[in-house]
Amino acid sequence: MTQPLFLVGARGCGKTTVGQALARTLGYAFVDTDSFLLTHTGKSVAEIVAEEGWEGFRARESDALQRVTAPATVVATGGGMVLADSNRQFMQENGITIWLHAPAQVLASRLNASPEEDQRPTLTGKGVTDEIVDVLAAREGLYRQVARHIVDATCPPDAVVEAILSALQMARAS
């Protein structure tokens, strides 16, 4: 199996940490769409949003998804990547999408433990916990729709990687 693997989920679910570990385990390349944007634009997500608005950022994010997708690559997507129908369709047609699922309380405690304010501006203007609750309510259906596999992301990263590998192996066996 050399299909790209797309990791989706809300901020704080571990897409980058798990993605790096998964890529190492599989011998795949790893790319994070937010890091790709920073490298190719020289601007953080916050700077892009400040200059171009969320619409401009989302367009750049969609372009980044297509540019980084390659065989034998684990792609950690931005939390809002699933908002565009075209992105969900692209991921479903070009690889295997895995939703790293975690409840809002877990995500909020992770984000509060290691805030990255310069990385990602607030979507709602609310505090972290309230924002995560709102964002999950709005996006859970989209994550579920696009995901071929749903994995519990509340476990340590190594356990999440093992769960992903098991899901992929079971899918191949069936």
Side-chain angles (χ1 to χ4, degrees):
M1 173 194 67
T2 59
Q3 279 189 296
L5 301 175
F6 301 105
L7 302 182
V8 299
R11 259 191 325 157
C13 73
K15 296 180 298 281
T16 300
T17 302
V18 168
Q20 290 169 333
L22 180 63
R24 274 193 307 275
T25 301
L26 292 171
Y28 277 27
F30 171 78
V31 66
D32 177 291
T33 57
D34 286 348
S35 296
F36 176 87
L37 280 174
L38 178 62
T39 301
H40 285 80
T41 65
K43 298 174 187 170
S44 69
V45 172
E47 290 169 326
I48 295 170
V49 171
E51 291 174 17
E52 302 177 25
W54 279 105
E55 190 174 318
F57 168 72
R58 294 291 178 214
R60 285 182 179 269
E61 184 178 55
S62 296
D63 178 62
L65 175 66
Q66 295 186 23
R67 290 176 62 189
V68 304
T69 298
T73 302
V74 175
V75 179
T77 66
M81 189 69 77
V82 299
L83 293 172
D85 291 339
S86 58
N87 291 343
R88 293 193 308 276
Q89 183 176 349
F90 180 85
M91 288 186 284
Q92 288 174 315
E93 291 175 355
N94 291 283
I96 298 170
T97 306
I98 300 153
W99 175 21
L100 301 185
H101 179 271
Q105 299 76 5
V106 170
L107 299 171
S109 74
R110 287 178 181 174
L111 292 171
N112 284 324
S114 56
E116 296 180 20
E117 292 303 326
D118 61 320
Q119 173 78 27
R120 188 63 79 152
T122 179
L123 292 165
T124 62
K126 297 180 178 180
V128 171
T129 304
D130 290 338
E131 178 166 293
I132 290 292
V133 168
D134 290 353
V135 167
L136 278 181
R139 296 181 183 169
E140 275 197 342
L142 300 175
Y143 292 137
R144 190 173 309 283
Q145 175 192 350
V146 75
R148 193 173 307 171
H149 304 288
I150 301 172
V151 175
D152 178 359
T154 61
C155 306
D158 290 347
V160 177
V161 169
E162 285 302 317
I164 292 169
L165 295 173
S166 294
L168 294 172
Q169 198 160 13
M170 287 192 307
R172 270 200 305 269
S174 60

